[in-house]
Amino acid sequence: GLDLSDLGMLNFDDATELTIDTGAITVVQSFHTVDTASDAATDDLDTISGGTAGDTIFLRAANTARTVVLKHNTGNIHCPYGADFSLLNSDLIVELLFDGTDWHIVGSVPFASATRIYLGTLQDVVAGDWRKILFDTDIYDILGESDLSNNQITVTNAGLYMVGATLYFGENMADNGLIALKITGSTFGTIAVYQTAVAGTNQEGLSAMSPVYLVAGESVYAYAYHVYSENRSLNAGAGLNYLYVVR
């Protein structure tokens, strides 16, 4: 093949649209938009036909309202971390490299995930009872992963994430407070980080943080617990009680 050097810029032909047909598309150039079959809300892309070894392609969703899911190892597509990758909107662009047999995702824009939600309303926590924290307001949410109706964050792509939460009780707890992080289907101890409250006369602060591998569709939420002699309340406020997931 030919070696290229000192190129100022690569300029591809304008993207042409491909529609998924029984889980497959056929690429004919380096840049395509991809739409779902019959304009369905979501559709799986299993197989990419066309191309020769060494080819690179860029794909993006044709419509922001329709999600294209690149399926890992169902056909000839391989995704990072062995999990499916979703083109959630037309701002996402994914790059793939063909090895002669399979297409491998090598990059995407944006690939980052960052969500933070907080407790906007005062919440009581009964002594001796684990209580799910009712986070109800977004602070930021890059990929639309906050699930406020369930007071949690649900990730769209698999990968290694940093998850954490900070809670503040409104009254003195005498070091009797605990916090737990939890993921869908797990027990408290799976990714939980507990920390007794810092002694004080007014507010008691608790924090938990842990790196964890999450599968697409898994959710992260937080619980609070205390054994103080009286019921205690979690303060409302963006800088006081919040949950975050970052990748």
Side-chain angles (χ1 to χ4, degrees), residues 25-69:
I25 59 173
T26 299
V27 297
V28 295
Q29 60 184 50
S30 292
F31 189 19
H32 286 289
T33 59
V34 182
D35 207 349
T36 60
S38 303
D39 291 341
T42 183
D43 201 0
D44 293 342
L45 177 59
D46 305 322
T47 302
I48 300 175
S49 300
T52 58
D55 281 351
T56 298
I57 59 172
F58 296 85
L59 303 178
R60 73 189 305 174
N63 190 295
T64 293
R66 300 191 283 273
T67 299
V68 174
V69 183

Side-chain angles (χ1 to χ4, degrees), residues 189-219:
T190 301
I191 64 164
V193 180
Y194 304 101
Q195 180 176 320
T196 55
V198 177
T201 57
N202 295 310
Q203 294 179 341
E204 298 287 350
L206 304 88
S207 62
M209 181 175 64
S210 179
V212 62
Y213 184 89
L214 297 174
V215 175
E218 283 192 314
S219 300

Side-chain angles (χ1 to χ4, degrees), residues 159-181:
L160 184 63
Y161 291 79
M162 181 62 71
V163 302
T166 295
L167 304 180
Y168 272 91
F169 285 94
E171 304 94 352
N172 185 9
M173 296 291 294
D175 295 335
N176 288 312
L178 297 174
I179 180 175
L181 296 172

Side-chain angles (χ1 to χ4, degrees), residues 136-157:
D136 56 9
T137 308
D138 287 325
I139 300 177
Y140 52 78
D141 185 7
I142 291 178
L143 295 182
E145 296 173 311
S146 65
D147 180 5
L148 298 178
S149 63
N150 292 300
N151 317 113
Q152 61 192 22
I153 298 171
T154 302
V155 301
T156 52
N157 293 301

Side-chain angles (χ1 to χ4, degrees), residues 6 18 27 94-95 103 108 125 144 147 159 167 171 184 224-225 234 238:
D6 298 326
L18 303 175
V27 297
V94 64
E95 180 184 6
W103 289 93
S108 62
V125 179
D147 180 5
L167 304 180
E171 304 94 352
T184 307
Y225 177 88
L234 293 171

Side-chain angles (χ1 to χ4, degrees), residues 73-111:
N73 212 28
T74 300
N76 69 341
I77 300 172
H78 288 261
C79 304
Y81 311 107
D84 302 340
F85 182 84
S86 298
L87 292 172
L88 299 171
N89 54 59
S90 57
D91 291 328
L92 284 163
I93 300 176
V94 64
E95 180 184 6
L96 300 97
L97 177 67
F98 192 47
D99 65 7
T101 302
D102 298 314
W103 289 93
H104 300 263
I105 293 179
V106 294
S108 62
V109 180
F111 200 76

